[in-house]
Amino acid sequence: MRREEEASLVGLTIRTSSATASSSSKKGKDVQTNDASDSSPSIKNSPFNSPSLVSPPSSAFVSALQSPYISPRATQPLTTTTAHKPSSPPPEDVPSSSYTPPSDQYEFSDDPSDRKLKLSSACTPDPALPRISFSFPVPRVSLAKVSVSSPATTNTTKLRSSDVFIGFHGQNPNLVRFCKWLKSELELQGIACFVADRAKYSDTQSHEIADRVICSVTYGIVVVSCSSLLNYLSLEEVRFFAQKKNLIPIFYGTGPSEIMGLLNCNAIDKECKEAIDGLFKSHEFKLEANESNWRSCVGKTAMILRGKLGRKSVVDKEIVERIDEFPFPRNRTFLGREKEIIEMEMAFFGSNGEYLESTTPSSKGEASGLSSEGLADEESDAAVSTRNGKFITLELGRCSEQRSEAPNGGKNSLKRLLKTKKRRSSSGNCKSSSSTSVVCVNGVPGIGKTELALEFAYRYSQRYKMVLWVGGEARYFRQNLLNLSFSLGVDVSADAEKDRGRLRSFDEQEFEAFKRIKRELFRDMPYLLIIDNLEIEKDWWEGKDLNDLIPRNTGGTHVLITTRLPKVMAFDTVQLSSLPSSDAMVLLRGRRKKDYPAEEVEILKVFEEKLGRLSYGLWVIGSLLSELAITPSALFEAVNKVHIEERSASPFLNSNDEGYCRSNPFVAKVLAFCLAVLEQAQGNRNLLSLKMLLVGAWFAPVPIPVNLLAAAAKNMPTGGNRFSKWNKCLSHTFAWCGGCGGLGRRGEEDAAFLLVRLGLARMSNRQPGCWIQFHPITQTFARRRDYILAPKATVQGVRKIENPLLNLDHLWASAFLVFGFKSEPPLVELQAMDLVLYIKRTALPLAITAFTTFSRCTSALELLKVCTNVLEDAEKSFVTQIQDWRQGSLCWKKKTSKKVDEYVWQDVTLLKALLLETRAKLLLRGGHFDSGEELCRTCISIRTVMLGHNHELTLAAQETLAKLVRMRSKI
C-alpha cells in the first residue's frame, strides 16, 4: 500500500476541497481535503500548486518569462507546506485566476480505479463544486546539483502570468526559429507567451516553473513535429491541454494523415494513442506548418488567439499601407542558378532534417536520454527521460511500466517509422547543418545577382515575416536603411525642441535612429533583408564601417547582399559564374522561343561568346529578336556596323563604371543600337521613349514613377538626328523590321513599356501609378551619351514630385547634380531665378524632411550650408555685374542689353535669410547655441534692411534669437 501511494505521487495530480469530509475518510484514495485539521504530514505537497485552470484575465497582460532558455531567480524549498482553504488567497508567487470559464468545469470520480479528468455535464459554474487545481507534487529530480533558495528569498519571488504556453521538441533550428517567430508575433498582438522545449531542461527549477506556467495558461499551443511523438514530455503537454479542452495543435513538418497512420501501428502505447486522439479532437483550426506556409500559419494562429482572448481592440502594429515588399514582379522566365539557390538556402537554414533524438532504451536495457543542444549529459539525461525503467505520465496517481511486449520493437518501431519521414524531408539537402545569417552574392556587372536575389526572395518569402529590399548604392544606402522605418513601423524622427531637459547631440540622435531600426530588425522576428548592389563597405557620408549597421547577431533576420566586390567583411560568399551554354541559348531565343535554322543558331553562339554569357546582354539580344522581325544574322551585322565614338569620360561616372564601358565594347554597341531603334521607331515625332531613357540615367537607381520620368523628358529639347550617320547602315535592318510600326506608341506608359520590352528597364511593384527602374548598366551607358542636356532636364522634372517621402532618393540625386558633394563638382548650372525656385521647392523641404523625419542631422545641415554658399555666390555675381556696368565705357553699356533683375536679387537675399534662420532652428535642437545665434543675428540684419524692424519675418527671427539666448543661459 505504501508503494502504491508513492507511485501515485508521480505525475500530475488533482486536489479538491469540499465542505464535506466524507470523501477524506475513504481509504486508498488520493483525493485529499484542504482542511487544516486533516492534513497529513506523510504526504508532501508541492509549493507550486496552481489554484486555477486558467490564466488571469486578458487585460492583465504582463510579459512572461523569456523562454526557451529561462533562468529562474529562485524556487521554493521542497518542504511540507500547509494546504490552503478555498477562500484563502493564493501565494504571491503562484499565477492565479479570478474566474473559471463555464466550459472548463471538471469533476472527479469517487472510484479509486478511475483517476482521470472528466468533463462535467454542467454548463454553468456551481458554487458548491470544489475548487480544482493542477499541480506536480513531486518535481522531476535531476542528478545534477541544484542550489535551493532560502524561504526568505523565495517569498519575494513572483512568477508573472502568461496567456499562452508554446511547447515543442526537437533540435531542428528551423523548428526553434518557427516557435520564436510565433512567440514574437503573439506578443506583438498583446498576448503574453511562454515558449519551452522542456526536454532541454536539466535542472529542477526550470521544470517546476514550466509546470506552473502550463497549469495557469489560458491556451496551450503544442507544435507537433516528428520528434514530438518520441518525447514523453510533449505527449504529456498534448494530453494535459486536450483534457482541459484548450489545446491548439500546430503540425510542423508532418500532417494529420501521417500521424493518423500511427494509430494502426501496434508499436505505440496507450499514452501515445491518447495523445494522438487528443490532437485530432483539437484540430479544428487545421493549423499545419510547412516550409511553404510559415508566414500564413503564424498569422492564422495569431488571429485565432486574438479572437479567443478578446484582443480584437488591440492595435495591430503592422503597417497596412506599407511599400510593397517585393520591388519587382517575379521573373517567370527565370532559369538556372539552382545550385546557387540551394547553397544560399543551406547557408541560411542548414539541414532540414528533423534531428530525431534517441528517447527510448536500447535493446540492452540502457537508458538513453534526451539530447538538448549542448545541455545534455549522462546524469541529466538519465534523470529527465527515464528512471528505473519508468516514465512520468499525465494520469493521476499512475507510473506506467514500459511495455514488456515487443522488447526490441515497441517505440523502436515507431522511431523507425518517424526516421523514414525524416529521410524524406531531408533528402536532397547539403551535408552541413550549420547556418549563417549573412550571405554575399558577388559577381561581375550584368551576371544576374539581382535576379537571383529576387528569385530567392519569392521562393522563401513564407519563411519570413517580411522581405525588406534596400538599395546598396553608396550615396543612397544610409537613406534607404532609414526608409525601413515605414515598413517596420519605427519612429526615427529627431528630437523636438526642448525648453527643459538634456539636449542630445546630433551624433547621438543619428545613432539612436539607427539603433531603433536595428532593434526592431534584428530580433526573433524573422525578416529577409536584401541589400542590392552594395558598392562600398563603408558609409559614403561619414565613413562608418558596415559592422555598425549590420551587427554580428542578427537574431532571426537573414541578410542577403549582392555586390561587385570580391569580398565583404568576413561574410560567407556565393560566387556567381557565367550561365551555362544551354541556359544562355534559351535567353537568346527571347520570350517567343523562336526556332532558327542551323546557320542562325551559329550566329546566336557568336552572340553568346561576344557577351560572355552574361544574363543582361543575353536578355537584351533576346528582347530585340522577340520585338523586331529580324534574324540573328541581320541583327549581328547591324550591331557590328555601329560605331562608338571615343568620348571624354563623364565627370559623373566613377572609375568602375568607366572601366566597364571600355572593357565591354560589344555591349556598348548593342545599347547604341537600341537607341537607334527607339529613334527610328518613334519616327522623329516626339522621341519620348528615347528622352525618358536619357533623363532616367540621372535619377537615383531606384524605381521611378512614369509620370515624373515623362515630365523630365518633356523638358529636354529635341535636337537634330544624333544617329543620322547610322540610318544608311541600319536602313536594311528596319526593312526587315517592317518599319517597326508596332513600336510607335505615344502615351507615357506605352513609351515606358517600350523600354521594358527592349530589356533596358523593368516594371516595378511600387504604388500608386506605374513605376519602372533602369538597369545599372543601362544608366551607365546613357550617362556617357548625354551629360549636358539630360541632367538639367532631370533637375527641372524633379520639381514636380508630388510625394517627397516616396521619392527621397530622386530628390537627393538632383541635389548632387546641382550642388555636387565632396570632391564631385556640380554638373548642372542653374540661372539665379531657377536656383531660387529649386532651393525653395526641392532643397529646403528635402533638408527639413531629412532632419525631422529621419534624424539625418549632419546631412541636412550640410545641404543647407551648401545652398547658402550657392546663394552667396549668386549675390556676388550680381554685385560684380553692377560694378562692371558702372566702370565700363559708354559704348560697352549701349551694346549690353542684359540688365540685373533687382527682384531676383531681392529673392536671392531673402531666401538666404530664410536658410540662415532654418539652420539656426535646427542647430538649437542639437545644442549648438553659439553657431545658431550667429546665424540668427545675420538673418535679422538682412530682414531688417530688406523688410524693416516690425515685419513679421523679422520679429519671428528675433523670437528664435531670444530662444537661443535663453537656452544657452540655462545650459
Side-chain angles (χ1 to χ4, degrees), residues 521-595:
L521 184 58
F522 301 116
R523 58 190 185 97
D524 288 341
M525 189 77 76
Y527 295 98
L528 176 60
L529 175 63
I530 298 179
I531 303 175
D532 187 30
N533 193 22
L534 181 68
E535 291 184 345
I536 55 178
E537 294 183 353
K538 293 187 176 182
D539 180 34
W540 184 77
W541 291 89
E542 299 179 4
K544 292 183 178 180
D545 198 82
L546 190 61
N547 286 329
D548 295 335
L549 305 177
I550 302 177
R552 294 180 179 270
N553 180 17
T554 62
T557 296
H558 291 159
V559 182
L560 179 60
I561 302 174
T562 68
T563 180
R564 302 178 186 181
L565 302 175
K567 186 72 175 178
V568 178
M569 302 298 180
F571 299 144
D572 293 349
T573 301
V574 176
Q575 179 69 44
L576 287 190
S577 57
S578 300
L579 287 173
S581 181
S582 57
D583 294 340
M585 193 61 62
V586 173
L587 288 179
L588 283 173
R589 292 180 183 273
R591 292 182 291 269
R592 300 183 182 180
K593 312 298 181 185
K594 295 181 181 179
D595 293 328

Side-chain angles (χ1 to χ4, degrees), residues 815-834:
F816 298 145
L817 292 174
V818 175
F819 305 116
F821 269 79
K822 295 189 175 182
S823 60
E824 298 176 355
L827 194 62
V828 176
E829 185 177 353
L830 298 177
Q831 298 296 327
M833 193 62 208
D834 293 334

Side-chain angles (χ1 to χ4, degrees), residues 860-925:
L861 289 171
E862 182 67 23
L863 177 58
L864 293 177
K865 182 179 179 180
V866 170
C867 292
T868 306
N869 295 338
V870 171
L871 291 178
E872 288 179 350
D873 293 339
E875 280 185 318
K876 292 178 181 179
S877 67
F878 285 135
V879 174
T880 303
Q881 292 179 29
I882 294 296
Q883 291 177 351
D884 293 342
W885 184 81
R886 289 179 177 178
Q887 296 175 3
S889 63
L890 183 61
C891 297
W892 184 86
K893 294 179 182 179
K894 291 182 179 179
K895 293 180 180 179
T896 305
S897 59
K898 186 177 180 181
K899 297 182 180 180
V900 176
D901 192 337
E902 296 181 359
Y903 293 101
V904 176
W905 192 352
Q906 181 180 358
D907 291 340
V908 169
T909 306
L910 291 178
L911 180 58
K912 175 186 172 183
L914 176 61
L915 293 176
L916 294 174
E917 182 187 20
T918 305
R919 291 168 61 187
K921 290 181 178 179
L922 297 183
L923 289 171
L924 172 62
R925 297 191 180 189

Side-chain angles (χ1 to χ4, degrees), residues 377-610:
D377 55 3
E378 294 180 0
E379 293 180 345
S380 62
D381 287 348
V384 172
S385 60
T386 60
R387 189 181 300 157
N388 297 327
K390 301 179 181 181
F391 57 92
I392 301 174
T393 67
L394 191 69
E395 295 187 17
L396 306 175
R398 174 179 167 185
C399 183
S400 300
E401 297 284 346
Q402 294 181 354
R403 292 180 176 271
S404 59
E405 65 269 21
N408 295 327
K411 287 193 175 181
N412 291 330
S413 301
L414 175 61
K415 184 188 297 186
R416 285 194 295 270
L417 292 174
L418 297 177
K419 281 187 176 181
T420 303
K421 162 67 177 172
K422 172 202 170 185
R423 286 193 294 269
R424 288 200 303 267
S425 64
S426 60
S427 60
N429 293 330
C430 298
K431 297 179 182 179
S432 175
S433 61
S434 61
S435 60
T436 184
S437 58
V438 183
V439 172
C440 294
V441 177
N442 64 348
V444 299
I447 201 171
K449 302 181 291 295
T450 301
E451 290 290 341
L452 178 62
L454 184 66
E455 179 65 20
F456 182 86
Y458 270 103
R459 288 193 187 184
Y460 300 98
S461 60
Q462 279 290 323
R463 301 191 188 184
Y464 300 96
K465 166 74 173 179
M466 192 188 307
V467 177
L468 304 171
W469 193 283
V470 172
E473 291 76 15
R475 296 189 185 98
Y476 312 101
F477 185 42
R478 172 178 285 265
Q479 181 62 58
N480 292 338
L481 286 176
L482 292 172
N483 288 343
L484 294 177
S485 60
F486 295 119
S487 299
L488 299 175
V490 178
D491 181 16
V492 294
S493 58
D495 293 342
E497 294 183 7
K498 296 180 180 179
D499 292 334
R500 296 182 179 179
R502 176 178 174 270
L503 291 176
R504 296 190 299 176
S505 66
F506 292 142
D507 290 338
E508 289 178 324
Q509 295 185 43
E510 292 183 359
F511 177 79
E512 179 63 24
F514 277 101
K515 183 179 178 181
R516 293 174 186 175
I517 295 286
K518 290 163 60 177
R519 185 189 303 120
E520 182 67 23
L521 184 58
F522 301 116
R523 58 190 185 97
D524 288 341
M525 189 77 76
Y527 295 98
L528 176 60
L529 175 63
I530 298 179
I531 303 175
D532 187 30
N533 193 22
L534 181 68
E535 291 184 345
I536 55 178
E537 294 183 353
K538 293 187 176 182
D539 180 34
W540 184 77
W541 291 89
E542 299 179 4
K544 292 183 178 180
D545 198 82
L546 190 61
N547 286 329
D548 295 335
L549 305 177
I550 302 177
R552 294 180 179 270
N553 180 17
T554 62
T557 296
H558 291 159
V559 182
L560 179 60
I561 302 174
T562 68
T563 180
R564 302 178 186 181
L565 302 175
K567 186 72 175 178
V568 178
M569 302 298 180
F571 299 144
D572 293 349
T573 301
V574 176
Q575 179 69 44
L576 287 190
S577 57
S578 300
L579 287 173
S581 181
S582 57
D583 294 340
M585 193 61 62
V586 173
L587 288 179
L588 283 173
R589 292 180 183 273
R591 292 182 291 269
R592 300 183 182 180
K593 312 298 181 185
K594 295 181 181 179
D595 293 328
Y596 296 103
E599 57 272 13
E600 297 294 340
V601 173
E602 293 299 324
I603 299 298
L604 291 180
K605 292 182 179 179
V606 176
F607 272 119
E608 176 186 322
E609 181 182 356
K610 290 278 189 180

Side-chain angles (χ1 to χ4, degrees), residues 529-797:
L529 175 63
I530 298 179
I531 303 175
D532 187 30
N533 193 22
L534 181 68
E535 291 184 345
I536 55 178
E537 294 183 353
K538 293 187 176 182
D539 180 34
W540 184 77
W541 291 89
E542 299 179 4
K544 292 183 178 180
D545 198 82
L546 190 61
N547 286 329
D548 295 335
L549 305 177
I550 302 177
R552 294 180 179 270
N553 180 17
T554 62
T557 296
H558 291 159
V559 182
L560 179 60
I561 302 174
T562 68
T563 180
R564 302 178 186 181
L565 302 175
K567 186 72 175 178
V568 178
M569 302 298 180
F571 299 144
D572 293 349
T573 301
V574 176
Q575 179 69 44
L576 287 190
S577 57
S578 300
L579 287 173
S581 181
S582 57
D583 294 340
M585 193 61 62
V586 173
L587 288 179
L588 283 173
R589 292 180 183 273
R591 292 182 291 269
R592 300 183 182 180
K593 312 298 181 185
K594 295 181 181 179
D595 293 328
Y596 296 103
E599 57 272 13
E600 297 294 340
V601 173
E602 293 299 324
I603 299 298
L604 291 180
K605 292 182 179 179
V606 176
F607 272 119
E608 176 186 322
E609 181 182 356
K610 290 278 189 180
L611 296 170
R613 296 204 303 272
L614 299 181
S615 59
Y616 171 74
L618 298 173
W619 179 254
V620 173
I621 294 296
S623 300
L624 290 172
L625 292 175
S626 299
E627 298 301 327
L628 307 178
I630 188 173
T631 62
S633 57
L635 178 60
F636 184 76
E637 181 182 358
V639 171
N640 270 336
K641 290 183 178 180
V642 174
H643 175 68
I644 302 297
E645 295 181 355
E646 290 294 334
R647 290 192 170 205
S648 59
S650 170
F652 212 72
L653 282 183
N654 56 41
S655 58
N656 294 332
D657 292 338
E658 194 68 35
Y660 175 82
C661 294
R662 295 183 183 276
S663 60
N664 293 272
F666 191 78
V667 175
K669 287 186 175 184
V670 171
L671 295 178
F673 177 81
C674 291
L675 296 181
V677 169
L678 291 175
E679 185 177 28
Q680 191 73 17
Q682 296 290 341
N684 286 328
R685 286 174 292 197
N686 53 20
L687 303 175
L688 183 57
S689 294
L690 179 60
K691 293 180 181 180
M692 292 172 71
L693 173 60
L694 294 177
V695 300
W698 299 100
F699 280 89
V702 295
I704 312 170
V706 171
N707 57 353
L708 175 61
L709 195 61
K714 292 175 182 178
N715 290 323
M716 187 174 178
T718 303
N721 190 347
R722 299 167 181 242
F723 307 100
S724 58
K725 57 181 178 296
W726 297 348
N727 286 347
K728 293 183 179 179
C729 66
L730 300 179
S731 58
H732 69 284
T733 300
F734 293 112
W736 282 88
C737 302
C740 303
L743 301 181
R745 300 183 177 183
R746 300 184 182 180
E748 295 178 358
E749 293 189 4
D750 293 333
F753 187 61
L754 176 58
L755 298 173
V756 175
R757 288 165 57 191
L758 292 181
L760 303 175
R762 65 186 309 165
M763 300 298 297
S764 174
N765 289 332
R766 283 274 190 101
Q767 295 293 333
C770 179
W771 298 61
I772 65 171
Q773 180 171 342
F774 292 98
H775 194 279
I777 296 179
T778 305
Q779 286 188 308
T780 299
F781 174 78
R783 287 180 181 180
R784 298 182 78 242
R785 301 306 304 172
D786 190 341
Y787 51 84
I788 298 176
L789 299 177
K792 187 173 183 179
T794 300
V795 172
Q796 293 174 349

Side-chain angles (χ1 to χ4, degrees), residues 178 181-182 185-186 293-303:
F178 175 81
W181 180 4
L182 180 60
E185 184 67 30
L186 292 178
N293 72 340
W294 283 5
R295 185 192 299 188
S296 303
C297 184
V298 170
K300 184 178 180 182
T301 305
M303 181 184 65

